[in-house]
Amino acid sequence: MSQSHEPWYKHRPPNWPVPDNPYASEGYGPPPPRPRRRRWPTAAAGLALLLLVGAGAYVLGERSEADRARADRAGAESGAPSATAPPKASARPTPSPTRIPTTAEIAQRRMAGEASAWIVDDRTDLPRRNIPTEDLWFVGDTVVQAVYKRVVAHRLSDGAELWSVDLPTPVCETPVNATPDGKVVIVLKNVEAWTGTHCNQLQMIDLRTGKAGWHKKLTETGAGDDTIIVDSAISGGTVAIVQSMKAAGYSVADGKKLYDIPMENPGKCYPGRVAGGTRLLVLADCAITALEKAYDQVRELDPATGKVRWRYRTEPGRRIGQVLSVAPAVITTAHRETHAEDWRVVALGPDGKVRRTIDPRPKGFKHCGDSVDTSANAQSCREAVVGGGLVLLGGTDRVGAYDLGTGKLVWGVKDEATSYGYYPLRVGPGRTGIVYQLGTSGKPGRVFRVGPGGVDTIKDVLRLPASTARLEFGMGVVGENAYVGDRLVITPAGLTGDDARHEPRMLSFAP
């Protein structure tokens, strides 16, 4: 730890060389895994138009303050008008997007010390509207993703397409995790239409074989169980689904309903979101008459039986933001009125009792992209990862590690120069962290390791290719990233369906 008169981080002047940093002239700064996704518009979410200059694509979706700032800086860097400032009438026409290189062409342009890369240039015929990309699932040596009406698997080593499954209707929702034996249940729309649809169709897919399994329709009685908005999560062999104000668990193997998730304090508390993986957590909103007394609740359920193992209730006037981890259970909370301005990280013990509350605000860390969206997927915080007794927090210009037991900052680094995001990927040995630093349209990003001692410990793990910098930037400003083994995979938040603005769907790097 630094002495009291020193900053919490250590940094070098912009032009000082940093070990293994090929971009020292730009200044050094900290850089963020979790695949998880920033959920697309719902009834409670705002809509915004974001111009991704790097990829030449328009993406429609919810935007946090951090997203807006990154997008505005992206426009400024490229000389294009920002999404928040309409162009003047005299502005030049938008140029045609740069041709997307092939994997072979990227390999030919690879320079010494750069990571190898492959790209998925998906030419699926999409309607001319904004199509969200869904979760990335990793099964064996494949990465699988559902987009629009198709589920596609790619080989991790080279990106080659291995199989695909056509879906009868567009995707509505996907769970973050698959079952241990590689099966998922995807929620589909009931019809093709863009509006007025219901998310009431369930389709099981075996990700190991690429075969579609059972298909069924969710029951809607009109008593708080409509399917305009749904959320799903898989734990063990169970898929939990929230539809409106009710929730239930279904068998992934055959689709049979296993149980109704119990509603506690009927008329006051309603299940709203679920989080899966090695544990199953159910989040409920308990909005009582006075806003200052309203609270949220999280319960751990036995995924096989639905039995409640423990429950945690927030303080009055606070709500649950994101689930950063299910084992151990680590969540964020925020004030119901000031939202992301007043947030905390809360680590829970195996009995659901508070182990430690951490306030990262004094070090300048913001809540998951500076937004708190309780209508979105509960596991969509790209800026945080938990492991080894630590929680790593990233952001636009900094990254740091807090001890979940003591609540103290273990290490931190900060970039005072221009930065577009640091995304923690994994906790490594010796309380280190592996971090993705998003590049710019002119400079490639990198993956580096950092630990106690801050900037003096930084060592590059992957130096991303200069030839893919613009593509990386366009996909990563508002997108998702995952780190599997020693491979980084990036996917954009969505695709535009406009053939004149075609963009790639996946970009991956490895040593």
Side-chain angles (χ1 to χ4, degrees), residues 156-495:
L156 273 174
S157 60
D158 58 11
E161 184 176 320
L162 298 179
W163 55 260
S164 66
V165 174
D166 291 329
L167 303 171
T169 51
V171 178
C172 254
E173 154 73 15
T174 61
V176 170
N177 306 95
T179 63
D181 62 350
K183 295 182 177 65
V184 296
V185 175
I186 299 173
V187 184
L188 306 177
K189 294 182 180 180
N190 59 329
V191 293
E192 175 81 19
W194 176 236
T195 59
T197 58
H198 284 253
C199 299
N200 60 9
Q201 307 292 312
L202 302 183
Q203 176 66 64
M204 190 271 274
I205 304 287
D206 189 329
L207 303 181
R208 295 189 182 276
T209 64
K211 303 295 183 183
W214 55 265
H215 179 279
K216 70 176 296 180
K217 181 180 178 181
L218 288 170
T219 300
E220 297 176 82
T221 66
D225 60 357
D226 68 71
T227 58
I228 296 175
I229 298 175
V230 299
D231 191 40
S232 66
I234 287 177
S235 182
T238 298
V239 56
I241 296 178
V242 177
Q243 51 186 105
S244 188
M245 296 184 293
K246 294 185 178 180
Y250 300 83
S251 168
V252 175
D254 55 21
K256 291 181 180 179
K257 187 175 182 179
L258 300 175
Y259 50 80
D260 287 311
I261 292 176
M263 184 183 298
E264 300 182 341
N265 296 328
K268 295 181 179 179
C269 294
Y270 299 96
R273 295 177 292 164
V274 284
T278 56
R279 298 287 188 273
L280 177 60
L281 304 184
V282 178
L283 282 60
D285 179 41
C286 302
I288 55 181
T289 52
L291 188 64
E292 66 273 11
K293 295 182 180 179
Y295 63 92
D296 277 11
Q297 177 180 264
V298 57
R299 293 173 287 168
E300 182 188 342
L301 270 58
D302 181 332
T305 66
K307 180 180 178 180
V308 177
R309 291 175 172 166
W310 53 258
R311 54 182 60 79
Y312 164 76
R313 170 175 163 171
T314 67
E315 297 174 358
R318 298 190 72 82
R319 58 178 179 165
I320 296 171
Q322 290 289 307
V323 175
L324 306 185
S325 169
V326 297
V330 182
I331 63 174
T332 67
T333 67
H335 193 278
R336 284 183 174 268
E337 294 183 347
T338 57
H339 309 297
E341 294 179 8
D342 182 3
W343 74 286
R344 305 288 189 278
V345 173
V346 179
L348 303 176
D351 56 359
K353 294 185 172 159
V354 175
R355 177 187 175 198
R356 181 64 58 183
T357 298
I358 301 169
D359 183 358
R361 295 176 302 163
K363 307 304 183 188
F365 289 103
K366 298 184 178 181
H367 180 278
C368 298
D370 203 19
S371 68
V372 179
D373 179 15
T374 56
S375 70
N377 178 281
Q379 295 173 275
S380 63
C381 186
R382 185 185 180 196
E383 291 80 6
V385 66
V386 173
L390 303 177
V391 56
L392 308 188
L393 300 177
T396 301
D397 62 356
R398 66 197 67 202
V399 65
Y402 285 87
D403 188 304
L404 291 174
T406 66
K408 294 182 178 179
L409 185 74
V410 177
W411 53 259
V413 288
K414 177 183 176 182
D415 182 5
E416 294 180 332
T418 301
S419 172
Y420 290 94
Y422 292 94
Y423 301 95
L425 301 174
R426 179 187 302 158
V427 176
R431 296 162 75 81
T432 60
I434 296 179
V435 181
Y436 168 45
Q437 179 181 6
L438 177 65
T440 70
S441 62
K443 292 284 187 180
R446 62 175 179 163
V447 174
F448 65 83
R449 184 187 303 274
V450 59
V455 69
D456 294 326
T457 69
I458 288 174
K459 184 175 179 60
D460 280 348
V461 175
L462 290 177
R463 299 181 185 180
L464 307 191
S467 64
T468 61
R470 192 169 182 82
L471 292 170
E472 175 205 344
F473 179 66
M475 297 170 74
V477 170
V478 183
E480 298 296 341
N481 45 262
Y483 194 62
V484 179
D486 55 4
R487 176 173 291 280
L488 175 69
V489 181
I490 301 172
T491 187
L495 301 171

